[in-house]
Amino acid sequence: MEHAPIEIDGGVLDDLRAAIRGKVMVQESIRLLYSLDGSAYQVVPDVVVVPEDEVDVVRAVIIAGEEDIPITPRGSGTGLVGGALNVGICLDMKNLNSVSVNGDSATVGSGVSRGSLDRVLGKHGKMLGPNPSVGGFCSVGGMLANNAGGSRSVKYGSMVDNVTRITFVDGTGRMITLPDDESIGQDIMELTGLIDREKLPKVAKNASGYRLDRVGSIGETHKLLVGSEGTLGVILSADLNIIDEPKDKMLFVLGYDSAYTAMANCPKVVGTNPSACEFIDHHILSQADLGLDPGIDCILLVEYDDSLQERATMLRSIITGTIVAESDDQKEMDWWWDHRNAALHHSLIAVDKHKRTPHMIDDAAVPVDRMGDMLHILDGINKKYGTSIITFGHVGSGNIHARLEMDNTKTDAIKEIAGAYCREISKLGGTITAEHGDGFASSEFIEMQYGGQNYDAFKAAKRYFDPYGILNPDKKITEKSTIVEHLSAVRTFHGGKMALSKEAY
């Protein structure tokens, strides 16, 4: 085809159609639809496969291996770094959508949307701790692939802290359940012996590289798959820890005269054990129209979901800012959280479209007491390159989302800034990505962050589970520079319109 030619041989497509009970689609309009996600990148797959069930997934992976074709699982397409974009076979996991609740655990298919899971768990008075700001639109498979966290990660952790079992298909077509498979578990334990722990990020959450550091025993070997972005296996389902929904909550909105003042106060705020501690800077406040006093430069949203009066008393004793609002009324709290969850939207409309850059420095995390240093690095970038940077994020976990505003045609400068930022973040004991994943944006910087010994351990893990190199290639392990390679300047086709097909749904 003129715009998006198919590179896969017709005989392979026939094999897929014969083997797969679900859909096998090659229409250009459908492939263009799947060429985009929530990022600034675009890669057109050659074929879109929508497996009917787990058997279809196994068959698709086996064919991909036999024919040396890349195969990449895709959830809801909300990723911000192109993690689910690749050539070859795009595997839409939406039909693996079962949910089974058993006490404090839920077995969840990777295609289940977060919104659907919330509705099921809500009927049982339960919830899942991690809560990405994109809300109900992301999939559980994507949350696992990126080690999603969200605002509640300060208390409840990321996905790696909330999963007890994972079933997946590796690059040879083996269906594996960890930690149940102790033989494979022993092999993973050997891999953990290869890592240099001195070079690991000293942060509360991390989505960079492979999480060999979280595997302390055979009972934790499944954690290696969390944050692996479909490069070690196609996740089919997972057992997740779920918790009781809090009966009561209280929200404080704290105003500060500068971001530095807010960051300096954060360690003490975190010490009061909030269920959320979120930051919004003055750029976003100017778009949100919250009716704040002119002297307020930024705000923290601090929420508690237990021992409310005790927590409130502790908070009042340590804050250096001003209490803008406090409430235990759910409607009022939702109003504030709606604005926080719209921060990405506000950050986009605050920037001219020609100055919107890829999400490549926007997900770093550092130890909470080093966030002032993180702001200093960002200010240095602004001074050196004449840029502007919008900041918001999960500061209770040391995770600041930084949206870079600059001429997006200056790709060499974008790449230079990303490399410099990653180096400086690593010096602070931080990670280049806390919850968005490496994708195209930061895979090339993983070795810089972790050092050669750890990177060799990651490559060994990749070879073990994906010996043919077909699972989402050039993510996590790559010799290429991909940060600006697949940028989509327009993100549109055919005169600004993208033709959609009912067959895609």
Side-chain angles (χ1 to χ4, degrees):
M1 291 184 180
E2 180 183 355
H3 295 285
I6 299 173
E7 303 294 338
I8 293 179
D9 183 83
V12 177
L13 295 176
D14 290 340
D15 290 343
L16 284 169
R17 293 188 181 102
I20 303 300
R21 288 173 288 182
K23 294 181 178 180
V24 178
M25 302 179 289
V26 295
Q27 296 93 322
E28 183 183 31
S29 61
I30 293 173
R31 293 188 295 114
L32 292 177
L33 176 65
Y34 281 87
S35 72
L36 299 167
D37 60 2
S39 73
Y41 298 105
Q42 181 169 32
V43 180
V44 182
D46 296 292
V47 56
V48 176
V49 174
V50 186
E52 187 68 26
D53 52 25
E54 296 177 343
V55 174
D56 273 359
V57 175
V58 171
R59 290 173 175 172
V61 171
I62 289 174
I63 291 173
E66 290 174 344
E67 302 294 337
D68 194 26
I69 297 170
I71 184 166
T72 302
R74 179 186 175 102
S76 300
T78 59
L80 297 176
V81 292
L85 304 182
N86 223 316
V87 296
I89 300 170
C90 172
L91 209 56
D92 185 337
M93 305 297 289
K94 65 184 178 182
N95 288 333
L96 277 71
N97 57 7
S98 63
V99 179
S100 175
V101 178
N102 183 18
D104 292 332
S105 178
T107 301
V108 186
S110 61
V112 174
S113 72
R114 174 58 198 264
S116 296
L117 178 60
D118 286 345
R119 287 189 289 274
V120 173
L121 296 183
K123 294 177 181 178
H124 297 265
K126 298 287 187 177
M127 72 175 196
L128 177 66
N131 63 326
S133 297
V134 72
F137 298 103
C138 59
S139 72
V140 170
M143 291 175 68
L144 288 163
N146 293 332
N147 192 23
S151 63
R152 293 197 296 253
S153 59
V154 64
K155 180 173 183 178
Y156 297 110
S158 303
M159 289 299 286
V160 73
D161 305 299
N162 291 273
V163 60
T164 59
R165 178 179 287 106
I166 293 178
T167 298
F168 65 101
V169 178
D170 77 353
T172 68
R174 291 184 298 175
M175 189 184 298
I176 300 167
T177 298
L178 293 174
D180 297 17
D181 193 319
E182 294 190 3
S183 176
I184 291 177
Q186 290 284 2
D187 292 338
I188 294 174
M189 291 306 298
E190 291 186 14
L191 291 173
T192 66
L194 302 177
I195 62 175
D196 175 7
R197 295 189 178 272
E198 290 298 316
K199 290 286 290 182
L200 298 176
K202 310 300 189 293
V203 290
K205 61 181 184 179
N206 179 18
S208 181
Y210 294 137
R211 298 306 306 274
L212 283 167
D213 60 300
R214 290 304 304 270
V215 179
S217 66
I218 289 181
E220 297 177 317
T221 49
H222 59 287
K223 293 180 183 290
L224 176 59
L225 272 293
V226 183
S228 63
E229 297 181 65
T231 62
L232 299 180
V234 179
I235 295 176
L236 304 175
S237 64
D239 289 0
L240 305 176
N241 289 328
I242 54 177
I243 54 179
D244 293 335
E245 290 183 319
K247 292 181 173 59
D248 299 294
K249 295 180 183 178
M250 179 176 287
L251 176 68
F252 287 84
V253 181
L254 310 178
Y256 294 86
D257 58 7
S258 77
Y260 283 96
T261 305
M263 295 306 102
N265 201 192
C266 266
K268 288 186 177 180
V269 173
V270 171
T272 66
N273 196 28
S275 54
C277 180
E278 298 289 291
F279 171 73
I280 301 176
D281 81 351
H282 65 278
H283 294 95
I284 296 173
L285 293 182
S286 68
Q287 299 291 327
D289 189 23
L290 300 178
L292 301 175
D293 291 339
I296 293 177
D297 178 78
C298 60
I299 60 174
L300 293 181
L301 281 73
V302 182
E303 184 180 85
Y304 299 98
D305 63 8
D306 69 350
S307 306
L308 301 186
Q309 296 308 316
E310 177 185 348
R311 307 289 183 202
T313 299
M314 293 172 62
L315 181 69
R316 290 189 182 98
S317 71
I318 56 90
I319 59 172
T320 59
T322 302
I323 297 178
V324 173
E326 60 178 286
S327 179
D328 58 4
D329 177 75
Q330 191 61 54
K331 185 175 181 180
E332 184 176 354
M333 290 189 291
D334 287 345
W335 184 84
W336 284 103
W337 281 118
D338 285 345
H339 282 289
R340 162 59 189 93
N341 291 334
L344 176 58
H345 166 72
H346 289 311
S347 74
L348 289 173
I349 63 176
V351 178
D352 180 273
K353 66 179 180 180
H354 300 295
K355 293 187 176 182
R356 295 175 187 168
T357 59
H359 297 260
M360 46 66 165
I361 68 166
D362 83 321
D363 190 41
V366 296
V368 175
D369 61 357
R370 302 304 300 271
M371 286 190 295
D373 296 317
M374 190 180 192
L375 291 179
H376 182 72
I377 295 169
L378 294 172
D379 285 344
I381 291 172
N382 285 336
K383 184 177 181 179
K384 181 176 181 178
Y385 295 93
T387 57
S388 179
I389 296 176
I390 299 169
T391 52
F392 60 97
H394 319 299
V395 291
S397 301
N399 180 201
I400 295 179
H401 299 316
R403 297 304 318 277
L404 179 67
E405 179 183 356
M406 64 176 290
D407 183 348
N408 56 28
T409 64
K410 296 182 177 180
T411 53
D412 288 344
I414 291 173
K415 183 177 176 180
E416 182 180 327
I417 290 170
Y421 187 60
C422 290
R423 279 191 294 273
E424 294 304 312
I425 290 297
S426 295
K427 291 177 184 178
L428 298 179
T431 178
I432 53 181
T433 177
E435 59 180 13
H436 293 170
D438 290 303
F440 290 127
S442 59
S443 287
E444 65 196 79
F445 302 121
I446 293 175
E447 185 173 10
M448 176 198 302
Q449 172 169 295
Y450 282 96
Q453 180 176 330
N454 287 325
Y455 196 65
D456 285 344
F458 296 164
K459 289 193 288 187
K462 175 70 170 175
R463 288 192 300 270
Y464 181 86
F465 286 107
D466 184 26
Y468 308 133
I470 59 170
L471 295 176
N472 202 6
D474 288 318
K475 310 287 174 55
K476 299 291 186 182
I477 304 299
T478 184
E479 297 180 356
K480 298 179 180 179
S481 175
T482 59
I483 187 170
V484 297
E485 180 181 357
H486 298 290
L487 290 178
S488 172
V490 200
R491 289 174 58 85
T492 54
F493 288 80
H494 310 307
K497 296 180 180 180
M498 181 178 290
L500 304 183
S501 168
K502 292 181 180 179
E503 296 179 58
Y505 299 96

